[in-house]
């Protein structure tokens, strides 16, 4: 699985890295790939340790790392957080 | 930690007594609720002479264990009519504990028009001092008290909302820099005002320490807790950088952020009030702004912030998630500067920003002013301060505001406003709001932290989740812990057991710890039943079971019969 920027893509995904996951990097990324992929694969490609992930939200629904991403999905990845 | 100090406002007397045996082993919420249960007669007027206002540090208060010196405040609530405990950080919990005061019990009521300051000096120098100045706000009051008593004090006080007996009024505690910290919920500030007690001033117990029965073991466990808090991803870096506002964007994303009087679950301008935006504003403006401050001595979590204005001068400390949600998106405000200013004014009035934000949202829904109208909102808040008729309506909270204005969607449970999680899209919180004796109170059992393991939109598992969360909250509140310390404490409850055993010389195991929580929840429920609030009150308002909440278009559809099993611990 490769993630390509701007190529002949089938799947387009927008990703937001929340809070400390983004660090000083760009929080919002638009990514393209050739076929549907699970969130765990997305993390590998983005070089994010799954241990750092406290929450995966896809199209406003809470999902887990096995959830398979489709074209047009909006993903928010958040670190461990607790309510106020 | 051996004494109760009783203050009778009717007779202007202050007495000290050994803690009765029945309250041995209790602190914080466990002690406030037990005293209220046993000493406030059934049917008492919450703002009358028979109600009692109890203030108690937790069992670990004043020991120096991180995040454990919160002050619990309890009474029969004028907002809910039931039992209430709210707690705050600041210095008062630790000062009382180190002074040997397990609880302050405020009884009776002062003669009409008389207001007092209770001064608690070292060596039992206790004085009830008649107030001879007018109080316009919390910040000026803090300054006046520092001028009179010096800086080696801690303050517990009520603001104009409390002295005018409004149901949104908080009991306010000073932090190490004399910024106000709020035991916000339930209208307990109105109980303080009804007693005629403006402030409690506690002299610093310099040189007085709590001595653990097993000092080396206590210190060893405290150090372990510090290390775990700093290593844990939930309590380490995130709170220092973003404070409680870290979750704002996520709450909106999963669709439970109160927006325009709970008519939506996500806010289209959430980015501008997110934790990231707040962090960036503090960084860019610099000046007096900062994050990573502590509200209690010795706390290693350091979740507090100071919000700077455009000129770098401090506007308010501390702006938290709940205020962003209730006074921000819920009132249609998308400017951090606007919300910070509203937060400052609410603090100065001594009002709970959750109750006030909900009441203002209802007022906006009812056509009193448009959503997002800063000038109009500030004017209304000044009416609350001045206690005009309209100000009294708003200042008495969301339910009274909605009833007066004929608004259909009134976001309350047991008369108390929903905090920053719409229960239709975070159903575990809906169970807590419905069943807790505390009314709609996220600190009684917040399901947000379990969103990844219990689908917040489904009914499955929510009652069991709320049961677990309410039990944990009851235990943490009794020990005096801040709920933000919960990740390592709940991962290894033996830390709490070790701290208690080494401090008191007890031989308790973890089952004993959870038994304290079970007994407390049942006692609080019994109080409410005694006051006439049967199981039929353990419901949300009907509209939340009927009106779908965008974007998920879900309603609160938990079965009441299932929620009735929330305290089936076996």
């Amino acid at each position: 699985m490769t993630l390509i920027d701007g190529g002949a893509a089938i799947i387009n995904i927008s990703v937001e890295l929340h809070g400390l996951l983004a660090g000083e990097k760009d929080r919002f990324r638009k990514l393209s790939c050739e076929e549907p992929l699970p969130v765990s694969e997305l993390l590998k490609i983005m070089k994010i340790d799954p241990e750092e992930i406290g929450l995966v939200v896809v199209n406003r629904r809470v999902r887990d790392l096995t959830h398979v991403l489709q074209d047009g999905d909006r993903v928010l990845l958040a670190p461990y957080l607790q309510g106020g | 930690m051996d004494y109760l100090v009783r203050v009778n406002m009717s007779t202007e007397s202050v007495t000290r007594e050994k803690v009765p045996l029945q309250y041995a082993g209790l602190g914080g919420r466990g002690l406030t609720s037990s005293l209220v249960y046993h000493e406030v007669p059934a049917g008492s007027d919450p703002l009358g002479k028979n109600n009692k206002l109890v203030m108690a540090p937790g069992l670990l208060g004043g020991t120096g264990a991180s995040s454990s010196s919160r002050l619990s405040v309890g009474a029969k609530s004028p907002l809910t009519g039931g039992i209430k405990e709210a707690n705050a950080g600041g210095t008062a919990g630790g000062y009382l504990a180190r002074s040997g005061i397990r609880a302050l019990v405020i009884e009776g009521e002062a003669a009409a028009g008389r207001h007092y300051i209770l001064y608690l000096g070292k060596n039992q120098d206790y004085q009830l001092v008649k107030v001879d100045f007018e109080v316009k706000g919390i910040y000026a009051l803090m300054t006046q008290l520092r001028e009179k008593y010096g800086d080696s004090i801690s303050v517990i006080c009520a603001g104009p909302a409390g002295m005018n007996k409004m149901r949104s009024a908080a009991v306010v505690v000073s932090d190490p820099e004399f910024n106000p910290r709020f035991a916000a919920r339930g209208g307990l500030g109105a109980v303080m005002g009804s007693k005629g007690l403006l402030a409690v001033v506690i002299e610093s117990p310099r040189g007085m320490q709590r001595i653990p029965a097993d000092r080396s073991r206590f210190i060893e466990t405290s150090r372990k807790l510090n290390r775990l808090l700093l290593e844990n991803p939930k309590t380490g870096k995130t709170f220092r950088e973003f404070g409680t506002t870290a979750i704002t964007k996520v709450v909106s994303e999963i669709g439970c952020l109160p927006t325009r009087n709970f008519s939506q679950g996500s806010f289209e301008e959430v980015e501008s009030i997110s934790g990231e935006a707040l962090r960036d504003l503090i960084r860019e403006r610099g000046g007096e702004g900062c994050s990573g401050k502590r509200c209690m001595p010795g706390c290693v979590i350091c979740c507090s912030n100071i919000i700077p204005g455009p000129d770098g001068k401090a506007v308010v400390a501390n702006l938290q998630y709940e205020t962003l949600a209730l006074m921000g998106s819920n009132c249609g405000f998308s400017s951090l500067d606007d919300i910070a200013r509203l937060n400052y004014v609410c603090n100065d009035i001594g009002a709970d920003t959750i109750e006030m934000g909900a009441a203002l949202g209802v007022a906006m829904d009812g056509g009193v002013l448009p959503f997002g109208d800063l000038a109009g909102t500030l004017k209304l808040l000044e009416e609350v301060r001045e206690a005009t008729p309209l100000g009294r309506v708003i200042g008495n909270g969301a339910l009274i505001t909605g009833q007066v204005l004929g608004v259909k969607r009134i976001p309350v449970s047991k008369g108390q406003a929903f905090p920053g999680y719409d229960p239709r899209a975070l159903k575990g919180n809906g169970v807590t709001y419905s069943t807790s004796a505390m009314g709609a109170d996220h600190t009684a059992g917040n399901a947000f932290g379990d969103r990844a393991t219990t689908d917040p939109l489904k009914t499955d598992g929510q009652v069991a989740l709320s049961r677990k969360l309410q039990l944990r909250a009851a235990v943490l509140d009794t020990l005096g812990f801040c709920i933000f310390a919960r990740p390592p404490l709940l991962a290894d409850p033996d830390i709490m057991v070790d701290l208690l055993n080494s401090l008191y010389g007890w031989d308790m195991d973890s089952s004993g710890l959870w038994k304290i929580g079970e007994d407390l929840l049942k006692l609080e429920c019994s109080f409410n039943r005694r006051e006439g609030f049967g199981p039929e009150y353990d419901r949300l308002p009907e509209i939340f079971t009927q009106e779908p909440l965008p974007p998920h278009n879900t309603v609160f559809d938990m079965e009441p019969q299932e929620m009735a099993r929330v305290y089936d611990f076996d």
Side-chain angles (χ1 to χ4, degrees):
Chain A
M1 177 64 58
T2 54
L3 207 66
I4 54 177
D5 284 314
I10 302 169
I11 304 289
N12 292 298
I13 301 165
S14 61
V15 182
E16 178 180 351
L17 300 177
H18 182 80
L20 290 175
L21 273 186
E24 301 302 321
K25 290 179 289 189
D26 189 5
R27 282 171 52 208
F28 300 95
R29 293 186 67 182
K30 287 198 181 299
L31 300 167
S32 304
C33 56
E34 294 166 346
E35 57 191 62
L37 77 169
V39 175
S40 57
E41 198 64 29
L42 177 75
L43 295 180
K44 271 188 202 170
I45 293 163
M46 295 182 77
K47 297 186 171 55
I48 295 172
D49 182 355
E51 293 288 313
E52 291 182 40
I53 300 295
L55 182 68
V56 177
V57 184
V58 181
N59 303 331
R60 297 188 178 279
R61 290 297 302 267
V62 177
R63 303 294 187 189
D64 62 23
L65 298 184
T66 65
H67 181 80
V68 177
L69 299 169
Q70 307 289 340
D71 185 35
D73 278 352
R74 203 177 97 191
V75 183
L76 182 144
L77 300 172
Y80 288 95
L81 300 167
Q82 53 173 341
Chain B
M1 286 260 287
D2 288 321
Y3 297 97
L4 300 184
V5 171
R6 290 187 187 272
V7 184
N8 190 313
M9 302 301 296
S10 301
T11 59
E12 302 180 12
S13 64
V14 185
T15 55
R16 199 175 76 137
E17 66 184 62
K18 286 209 166 180
V19 176
L21 198 58
Q22 73 184 109
Y23 302 122
L26 291 175
R29 174 175 160 192
L31 185 53
T32 63
S33 287
S34 293
L35 278 159
V36 170
Y37 181 89
H38 291 293
E39 296 197 359
V40 176
S44 296
D45 176 358
L47 299 177
K49 64 181 179 182
N50 288 326
N51 197 7
K52 297 193 182 188
L53 183 69
V54 184
M55 304 173 183
L59 285 169
L60 296 173
T63 60
S66 182
S67 326
S68 70
S69 285
R70 290 181 76 82
L71 178 74
S72 284
V73 183
K76 181 177 178 181
S77 164
L79 189 67
T80 69
I83 199 164
K84 189 66 200 168
E85 184 267 357
N87 59 67
T91 51
Y95 277 22
L96 285 177
R98 286 168 53 203
S99 300
I101 299 175
R102 279 268 298 277
L104 274 177
V105 185
I106 316 298
E107 309 175 342
E109 61 185 356
R114 289 197 179 178
H115 299 150
Y116 294 86
I117 292 167
L118 171 66
Y119 177 76
L120 299 173
K122 287 202 287 191
N123 304 315
Q124 292 91 57
D125 174 20
Y126 303 154
Q127 302 167 30
L128 208 48
V129 182
K130 192 158 177 279
V131 173
D132 55 5
F133 55 83
E134 195 179 355
V135 177
K136 281 292 184 185
I138 290 287
Y139 292 97
L141 176 59
M142 291 275 187
T143 301
Q144 284 170 295
L145 293 174
R146 290 169 74 184
E147 285 169 0
K148 185 174 171 71
Y149 295 102
D151 282 347
S152 295
I153 56 169
S154 180
V155 175
I156 307 168
C157 61
M163 298 316 284
N164 285 311
K165 293 179 267 191
M166 296 188 199
R167 288 166 174 77
S168 67
V171 171
V172 182
V173 180
S174 61
D175 77 2
E177 296 174 14
F178 290 91
N179 286 311
R181 303 283 160 174
F182 284 68
R185 316 256 23 226
L188 297 177
V191 180
M192 192 164 174
S194 75
K195 302 288 178 204
L197 183 62
L198 175 65
V200 180
V201 174
I202 312 160
E203 184 183 8
S204 168
R206 192 171 291 129
M208 300 168 77
Q209 300 295 333
R210 297 195 66 193
I211 310 296
D214 184 341
R215 190 166 181 271
S216 61
R217 188 172 151 209
F218 187 86
I219 290 172
E220 184 188 339
T221 310
S222 292
R223 285 182 178 155
K224 178 182 175 184
L225 173 60
N226 286 353
R227 180 173 52 77
L228 292 171
L229 285 168
L230 290 169
E231 287 174 359
N232 191 292
K234 291 183 183 175
T235 53
K237 288 182 181 173
T238 293
F239 269 131
R240 280 177 182 260
E241 191 162 333
F242 298 100
T244 59
T245 67
I247 63 172
T248 311
K249 188 77 191 288
V250 172
V251 179
S252 181
E253 188 69 16
I254 65 174
C256 60
L257 179 70
T259 303
R260 295 187 187 84
N261 190 30
F262 288 80
S263 63
Q264 300 164 229
S266 65
F267 185 41
E268 65 283 358
E269 296 181 87
V270 68
E271 194 64 45
S272 62
I273 63 166
S274 66
E276 287 86 348
L278 191 86
R279 186 257 325 258
D280 293 346
L281 180 143
I282 290 171
R283 278 185 183 171
E284 285 160 15
R285 289 182 177 171
E288 293 173 358
C290 64
S291 55
K293 293 186 71 68
R294 57 173 61 93
C295 78
M296 284 186 280
C299 177
V300 300
I301 299 174
C302 303
C303 69
S304 296
N305 56 38
I306 297 175
I307 307 303
D311 59 359
K313 290 191 175 164
V315 175
V316 73
N318 158 47
L319 180 52
Q320 297 204 55
Y321 165 73
E322 296 296 332
T323 304
L324 282 180
L326 271 299
M327 303 210 76
S329 51
N330 190 54
C331 292
F333 290 106
S334 57
S335 155
L336 287 172
D337 285 323
D338 291 352
I339 301 167
R341 189 164 172 202
L342 295 169
N343 193 169
Y344 174 85
V345 176
C346 259
N347 285 0
D348 201 33
I349 294 168
D352 171 17
T353 54
I354 295 176
E355 196 64 44
M356 287 300 291
L360 288 164
V362 168
M364 290 167 176
D365 210 358
V368 174
L369 72 172
F371 285 103
D373 176 358
L374 180 65
T377 305
L378 286 168
K379 184 169 174 288
L380 262 188
L381 289 176
E382 289 310 316
E383 293 210 40
V384 176
R385 186 196 301 274
E386 298 300 327
T388 66
L390 179 58
R392 282 190 171 278
V393 170
I394 305 291
N396 272 297
L399 178 60
I400 285 177
T401 300
Q403 287 173 333
V404 170
L405 297 174
V407 174
K408 199 170 177 187
R409 189 187 319 101
I410 307 176
V412 298
S413 178
K414 299 186 170 81
Q416 182 169 258
F418 292 169
Y421 312 86
D422 195 306
R424 289 167 288 183
L426 188 62
K427 292 183 183 176
N429 274 27
V431 177
T432 299
Y433 300 170
S434 301
T435 60
S436 169
M438 299 293 146
D441 188 336
H442 63 296
T443 69
N446 189 354
F448 176 75
D450 294 79
R451 64 207 169 268
T453 50
T454 304
D455 188 334
L457 298 177
K458 293 183 176 166
T459 57
D460 302 345
Q462 304 293 359
V463 171
L465 175 61
S466 179
R467 176 186 305 130
K468 178 181 76 173
L469 296 168
Q470 290 192 49
L471 182 63
R472 290 171 170 181
V475 168
L476 292 172
D477 290 344
T478 296
L479 270 60
F481 270 119
C482 173
I483 54 174
F484 301 152
R486 65 201 149 187
L489 293 173
L490 299 174
D492 181 6
D494 281 344
I495 293 172
M496 292 187 277
V497 174
D498 271 356
L499 287 170
L500 290 173
N501 286 345
S502 57
L503 178 63
Y504 289 98
W506 295 346
D507 187 22
M508 187 172 69
D509 60 18
S510 61
S511 65
L513 186 71
W514 301 122
K515 182 74 167 48
I516 291 172
E518 278 186 35
D519 290 347
L520 174 56
L521 291 171
K522 288 175 179 172
L523 177 117
E524 290 169 342
C525 184
S526 296
F527 182 97
N528 283 13
R529 297 287 187 260
R530 186 183 86 186
E531 296 299 319
F533 299 107
E536 65 276 16
Y537 285 88
D538 294 341
R539 311 269 193 280
L540 296 188
E542 187 180 32
I543 188 169
F544 294 94
T545 68
Q546 296 175 341
E547 183 186 59
L549 176 72
H552 293 302
N553 296 315
T554 46
V555 297
F556 187 69
D557 53 357
M558 296 298 304
E559 289 293 335
Q561 295 86 342
E562 194 187 349
M563 291 199 292
R565 292 195 289 271
V566 72
Y567 293 149
D568 290 352
F569 290 103
D570 298 326

